[in-house]
Amino acid sequence: FEKNSYHNDEKPYYELSGADDEFGGSDIKGYYVYFGSSQTADPYTAGTYIEHDSNNKQEFTPVDDLSNSSTNYLRVRTIDNANNMSDAQTLFTYRYDKTAPISPNSINVTPFGWSRTNNFSFTFDSGFDEALYDSGLLEYQYKFGGTSTDWDDEVFSTNELIIEDIE
């Protein structure tokens, strides 16, 4: 996942690593992990405890369902075997958007009707994303014909498509 960008996975999976009890300390005991909408929540009081795994790769998947169009924070506190606890740190910001965008609802083609040319220009109303904190439109994709389920691999980001030399 890319930090502070939109995703549509309702149950993101994280691997935590890199914790260290420096200078001959008592070693890592575990982690308090919080994943939710508060950017200031204390993982010790609002999170889940995960015991340290000696392979130095801690796995975490949030158990609560995410609210659509929400921003969520992965916050962690590390505790050692002497019960010393680190300050809370936000390791990841996850923006969740599960609402599909609205497709364009009209299209215009030039030339209109039957034509001897195999060059066409298509223009259409822009689609939009109506989620509360909309992630925006990334791209459009198209297909020709009414029976094929295959979509063209070409994607584009404007509301105009020019196709030349259709066979």
Side-chain angles (χ1 to χ4, degrees), residues 36-156:
S37 60
S38 173
Q39 60 184 332
T40 60
D42 184 349
Y44 178 68
T45 58
T48 303
Y49 178 74
I50 299 174
E51 190 170 322
H52 178 68
D53 188 345
S54 60
N55 71 10
N56 207 24
K57 182 174 80 172
Q58 317 315 307
E59 299 174 355
F60 176 74
T61 302
V63 294
D64 296 331
D65 289 338
L66 299 178
S67 298
N68 190 31
S69 298
S70 62
T71 300
N72 299 275
Y73 304 91
L74 178 65
R75 294 181 48 77
V76 177
R77 290 183 80 175
T78 305
I79 187 169
D80 68 10
N81 287 315
N83 291 324
N84 297 310
M85 196 175 308
S86 70
D87 292 333
Q89 292 185 347
T90 299
L91 300 181
F92 198 86
T93 301
Y94 184 88
R95 299 172 82 184
Y96 179 60
D97 179 1
K98 71 176 182 179
T99 304
I102 306 300
S103 295
N105 59 12
S106 67
I107 189 165
N108 297 305
V109 61
T110 304
F112 180 77
W114 294 98
S115 175
R116 290 181 177 219
T117 181
N118 62 354
N119 297 326
F120 296 89
S121 174
F122 298 91
T123 57
F124 45 89
D125 296 338
S126 296
F128 65 96
D129 190 358
E130 68 177 0
L132 182 59
Y133 302 107
D134 63 313
S135 57
L137 296 176
L138 177 62
E139 58 198 13
Y140 295 97
Q141 190 174 20
Y142 68 93
K143 72 175 185 173
F144 288 112
T147 59
S148 173
T149 58
D150 296 329
W151 287 82
D152 193 85
D153 289 336
E154 182 180 348
V155 293
F156 52 99

